[in-house]
Amino acid sequence: METPKLSPSQLTGPEWLQAKRAGSLTSYNDLPLPQRGLHLWRYTDPRTFVIDSAEATTTSVESTFADVARVEKQHFDDGHLDALVIDNQGQTITSDLSADASAAGLVAGSLTAALDSHRELAERYLYALVNTAFGKFEAMNGALWQDGVFVYVPDNAVLTRPIHLLREAGTNGSRQFPRLLVIVGANAEATVIDEYGGGADEAGDTPSYSNGVVEVFGGAGSRTRYISLQRHGRGMNAYLTHRAQIANDASMVTVPLAFGGATTKQNFGVNLNGRGANSEMAGLLFGGNYQHFDNHTLHHHTVGDTYSNIDYRVALKDRALSAYTGLIRIDQKAKNCEAYQENRNLLLNPGTRAETIPELEILNEDVSCSHGATVGPIDPLMLFYLTCRGIPTDVATRMIVSGFVASTFDKIPSDARERVAAIVESRLGDI
Amino acid sequence: MANGLFSFSDVHVEVEGKEVVRGASLTVNPGEIHAIMGPNGSGKSSLSHGLMGHPAYEITSGTVTLNGADLTEMEADERSRTGLFLAFQYPLAIPGVTVANFLRAALQAHRGPDADMSDFRSLVKGEMDALGIKHDFATRYVNDGFSGGEKKRLEILQMAVLGPRMAILDETDSGLDIDALKTVAEGINRFSGQDNGVLLVTHYQRLLNYVQPDFVHVMMDGRLVKSGGKELAVKLEEQGYEWIEAEVAEMAGAN
């Protein structure tokens, strides 16, 4: 299929960035559409993410956005956050920082502003992980993002409270290209909650569109927690590529949470680039109606003495579909690595569908590695055990599902846990 | 025959279309402890599961009553709320659900959705102390990574908290060391009282050294073939089941 060529009215930013954007645009226009049925596109039609105009659009998001923004503002005012950044449709970025965080040197706010204020960092890290080499849709974001979010935690700074980012999309027919760059310095510590909301509310609406990129860098000895909370409206088609890179003795916890959207394709990956690096991923997806989720994870061990673990959990009801592909790649010279991966899928009724594809590319033999996957309904024996203690079947079912998601919940900072619990609770409501 | 507290009459149980209990009848009066013994594969566990309402163990004919209520057509949760309890031979792990949440949900279901639960903590702590269970047990996930002894203790804890009228204990002694066995037996003895009944289902008479049954029944090939007192269990322990098999065969021949 011929996809429309994009020609934005302008490629914004300083000269070096304009060159990046121009390169990205050329790549987007030159690269063919990924072939349906080939690797990573077996379950999702790539045309879902094609657009016919390069211009981002915005709509008023007052209605869907105000409530959550108010709650988070309150959290910030009550001293539960080190920063609150509000990203309105990739165009207007506003931020508040706590006094402690400012004193510690935290920068959290507009990416465009950081191009001037932190030019060296921006030029060094932006596009370093997700660039034109990645693929057509990543190149589209690279060309078209307008403003994004920049988070910089200086070396040795320890932030005890979350940096909460609210990334709000426009409603029906809107297009946005959210971008995020997080740099956590050596021996620094930070938690980033990256929350995506908004978009067309209902599946029948004119769809909204989002194409996002996230790059996260963890310096030597740093400790980073990154939570991606996707709770878009049911009329949103969203594509997101996340890549993180961690240096020696750095640890990173990545928590991809997916609840919203119509068709969404998200790709989360961490490169373990230094000895002693440690990466945990705890994913949770809860789909309903006719939602279509296509998710990938990657743990790439480029050096030895590194550890990674993935626990990706999926619960589906109604007619929802999830396809999960989890890749562990261990380079030839990366000896003495440990890498584990597990994907569990709970099908709450017939008519749901879950595909799970574990992939291992392990190029040396001096590793400990395991992967596992399960797909199935609630264990009837588990249900019997609860019901024969007097617990009615519907309550018992909800208990089992709550238990299923509990291990992921433990990894979610309390600031976001309440909202995630409310989403899960509402999904469980009519089971 | 008196209706008693708990009784089942000519119960047949099928698993995957195969009849594994072929007409079993028993009446338990308040305050009585009964034991059903029998060799492996005799249908003891199938009977227990069928009585509790396991979906895979269908009661195809016969009736089960508890305290005047007909349980036969009830779902498992209704049977429980009517006062029936089954301690599992192999309790299930429920990952992510804590013991405290599980016990609370079960007790709430028994008392009713609006019932006062303010005594819950002290009730559970008291029963935990009595069973020698550490309090941090309550925050662990149900049976997840539990030792055999811990699982059986949790079964007895559930029984103590829910206070059923009739408790069936399926091979509760299996896999227990002597200390755990004594603790579990003490739990059963403490539970057993004038108003409730106990049915021990067991392969060995080891547990019966610590919990004295009033009646012992022998199950073979899906039927309860012989009943007696405590001495029957002792004889089975000493002589095995062959002599009963012979006796049953002889009776069948005579008929």
Side-chain angles (χ1 to χ4, degrees):
Chain A
M1 172 193 150
E2 193 66 22
T3 54
K5 301 277 190 243
L6 297 181
S7 51
S9 50
Q10 56 171 337
L11 295 172
T12 58
E15 217 167 293
W16 67 267
L17 180 60
Q18 284 184 32
K20 292 274 191 194
R21 288 186 187 278
S24 299
L25 187 68
T26 306
S27 292
Y28 175 77
N29 284 332
D30 290 353
L31 284 169
L33 198 63
Q35 227 177 322
R36 186 130 200 227
L38 286 190
H39 186 234
L40 297 189
W41 288 96
R42 215 170 300 162
Y43 299 99
T44 303
D45 187 344
R47 286 174 299 184
T48 311
F49 304 110
V50 170
I51 53 172
D52 56 6
S53 157
E55 309 305 328
T57 62
T58 59
T59 58
S60 168
V61 295
E62 204 47 47
S63 55
T64 57
F65 187 25
D67 288 348
V68 173
R70 212 171 14 247
V71 168
E72 286 310 322
K73 189 73 176 66
Q74 193 61 50
H75 284 184
F76 179 80
D77 291 342
D78 293 346
H80 299 312
L81 297 175
D82 268 331
L84 172 61
V85 180
I86 294 178
D87 169 0
N88 190 342
Q89 304 169 72
Q91 308 218 6
T92 323
I93 314 292
T94 54
S95 62
D96 288 300
L97 268 66
S98 73
D100 291 349
S102 296
L106 172 70
V107 180
S110 159
L111 180 53
T112 303
L115 298 173
D116 286 331
S117 64
H118 295 80
R119 176 183 166 159
E120 223 171 278
L121 287 173
E123 201 169 343
R124 182 171 159 204
Y125 289 109
L126 199 59
Y127 298 97
L129 294 176
V130 183
N131 47 43
T132 54
F134 220 100
K136 188 174 176 79
F137 296 113
E138 288 76 6
M140 174 163 44
N141 177 287
L144 303 180
W145 68 270
Q146 297 206 317
D147 200 353
V149 178
F150 176 77
V151 175
Y152 171 59
V153 185
D155 292 356
N156 305 308
V158 174
L159 300 176
T160 51
R161 296 169 291 189
I163 298 158
H164 200 126
L165 317 178
L166 281 180
R167 326 284 301 279
E168 207 62 18
T171 55
N172 303 10
S174 68
R175 284 189 294 273
Q176 41 263 307
F177 307 93
R179 184 130 196 152
L180 169 63
L181 174 60
V182 178
I183 303 162
V184 179
N187 301 310
E189 181 171 332
T191 295
V192 176
I193 300 168
D194 190 15
E195 178 172 354
Y196 294 82
D201 274 342
E202 301 298 332
D205 296 343
T206 307
S208 51
Y209 176 87
S210 175
N211 176 334
V213 167
V214 175
E215 293 169 296
V216 185
F217 296 84
S222 64
R223 296 169 301 282
T224 308
R225 232 182 344 167
Y226 171 76
I227 292 89
S228 172
L229 168 54
Q230 190 274 95
R231 47 160 195 81
H232 280 304
R234 292 292 174 87
M236 169 64 96
N237 292 323
Y239 186 94
L240 181 88
T241 298
H242 157 281
R243 276 297 175 271
Q245 180 165 299
I246 49 176
N248 50 299
D249 300 319
S251 70
M252 184 165 284
V253 177
T254 306
V255 185
L257 306 167
F259 300 104
T263 296
T264 55
K265 190 166 171 70
Q266 299 195 307
N267 185 337
F268 288 85
V270 178
N271 301 330
L272 296 100
N273 273 23
R275 284 184 69 188
N278 177 312
S279 173
E280 291 262 359
M281 254 195 231
L284 174 62
L285 181 169
F286 200 145
N289 297 97
Y290 284 86
Q291 282 184 298
H292 177 115
F293 296 90
D294 189 346
N295 285 281
H296 315 301
T297 64
L298 166 73
H299 266 145
H300 186 180
H301 296 249
T302 61
V303 301
D305 301 310
T306 48
Y307 171 95
S308 74
N309 186 32
I310 292 187
D311 180 358
Y312 198 92
R313 294 179 177 234
V314 175
L316 299 173
K317 63 172 195 172
D318 307 326
R319 308 279 292 179
L321 175 147
S322 162
Y324 168 78
T325 311
L327 171 62
I328 299 171
R329 177 178 289 159
I330 302 181
D331 289 354
Q332 189 172 4
K333 61 182 188 301
K335 308 279 187 187
N336 191 32
C337 291
E338 282 182 75
Y340 306 102
Q341 179 173 299
E342 189 167 310
N343 172 223
R344 297 185 186 203
N345 298 272
L346 194 54
L347 307 179
L348 294 170
N349 56 260
T352 52
R353 179 177 165 204
E355 300 288 343
T356 174
I357 307 111
E359 298 182 322
L360 304 178
E361 290 179 19
I362 295 168
L363 304 178
N364 79 76
E365 290 181 359
D366 187 14
V367 299
S368 299
C369 199
S370 74
H371 65 90
T374 58
V375 179
I378 285 180
D379 181 352
L381 290 179
M382 230 187 244
L383 203 55
F384 175 61
Y385 187 66
L386 293 181
T387 54
C388 77
R389 296 303 178 245
I391 302 170
T393 306
D394 57 339
V395 178
T397 303
R398 287 201 287 273
M399 281 179 82
I400 292 170
V401 180
S402 301
F404 180 75
V405 305
S407 64
T408 313
F409 266 51
D410 291 345
K411 299 249 181 349
I412 302 172
S414 56
D415 185 57
R417 202 180 296 164
E418 203 173 297
R419 186 136 62 248
V420 175
I423 295 169
V424 170
E425 196 59 39
S426 72
R427 291 283 157 101
L428 289 175
D430 52 353
I431 285 175
Chain B
M1 192 186 273
N3 280 334
L5 169 68
F6 176 68
S7 97
F8 52 90
S9 155
D10 194 28
V11 160
H12 293 244
V13 176
E14 267 189 19
V15 183
E16 289 171 352
K18 183 171 181 282
E19 188 168 87
V20 287
V21 176
R22 305 191 298 160
S25 305
L26 186 68
T27 296
V28 178
N29 292 303
E32 289 178 354
I33 297 177
H34 290 241
I36 292 181
M37 301 185 70
N40 285 330
S42 57
K44 307 185 300 290
S45 272
S46 298
L47 175 63
S48 311
H49 283 107
L51 292 173
M52 193 66 230
H54 191 298
Y57 294 77
E58 194 195 349
I59 296 182
T60 50
S61 70
T63 54
V64 186
T65 61
L66 174 60
N67 207 25
D70 186 348
L71 303 186
T72 321
E73 297 298 321
M74 287 183 185
E75 299 293 329
D77 58 317
E78 292 175 275
R79 295 186 198 205
S80 168
R81 294 194 299 271
T82 307
L84 185 63
F85 183 88
L86 171 66
F88 281 55
Q89 181 178 6
Y90 302 111
L92 272 284
I94 317 285
V97 176
T98 62
V99 168
N101 282 346
F102 172 47
L103 289 174
R104 177 181 284 277
L107 190 61
Q108 187 87 65
H110 277 255
R111 289 183 178 178
D114 302 319
D116 178 33
M117 294 287 286
S118 56
D119 61 331
F120 175 72
R121 276 168 173 275
S122 58
L123 170 65
V124 171
K125 279 184 179 168
E127 297 297 347
M128 281 181 156
D129 291 341
L131 280 164
I133 295 172
K134 285 186 189 138
H135 290 182
D136 65 0
F137 200 77
T139 62
R140 292 174 65 188
Y141 294 154
V142 175
N143 290 318
D144 199 14
F146 281 27
S147 71
E150 286 173 329
K151 286 182 183 175
K152 296 301 171 73
R153 277 191 173 90
L154 179 56
E155 295 297 290
I156 301 302
L157 176 64
Q158 293 171 51
M159 181 175 77
V161 168
L162 295 178
R165 297 298 306 278
M166 180 68 211
I168 304 169
L169 298 112
D170 186 11
E171 305 279 4
T172 292
D173 49 337
S174 68
L176 294 184
D177 62 37
I178 187 68
D179 291 331
L181 180 67
K182 282 181 182 168
T183 312
V184 164
E186 280 166 22
I188 298 169
N189 286 328
R190 209 168 31 248
F191 164 77
S192 172
Q194 296 204 332
D195 295 330
N196 55 33
V198 173
L199 177 59
L200 305 168
V201 176
T202 181
H203 182 76
Y204 303 102
Q205 73 104 40
R206 201 164 71 117
L207 178 64
L208 307 184
N209 292 332
Y210 301 95
V211 181
Q212 298 285 331
D214 302 299
F215 302 95
V216 174
H217 314 274
V218 179
M219 190 158 195
M220 280 192 154
D221 200 19
R223 291 190 181 90
L224 293 171
V225 294
K226 193 172 180 66
S227 296
K230 168 83 173 90
E231 72 290 344
L232 181 54
V234 176
K235 189 172 178 186
L236 288 169
E237 181 75 0
E238 286 167 355
Q239 303 184 11
Y241 290 97
E242 286 82 3
W243 62 276
I244 296 190
E245 277 170 29
E247 220 178 82
V248 172
E250 199 175 305
M251 279 172 60
N255 291 343

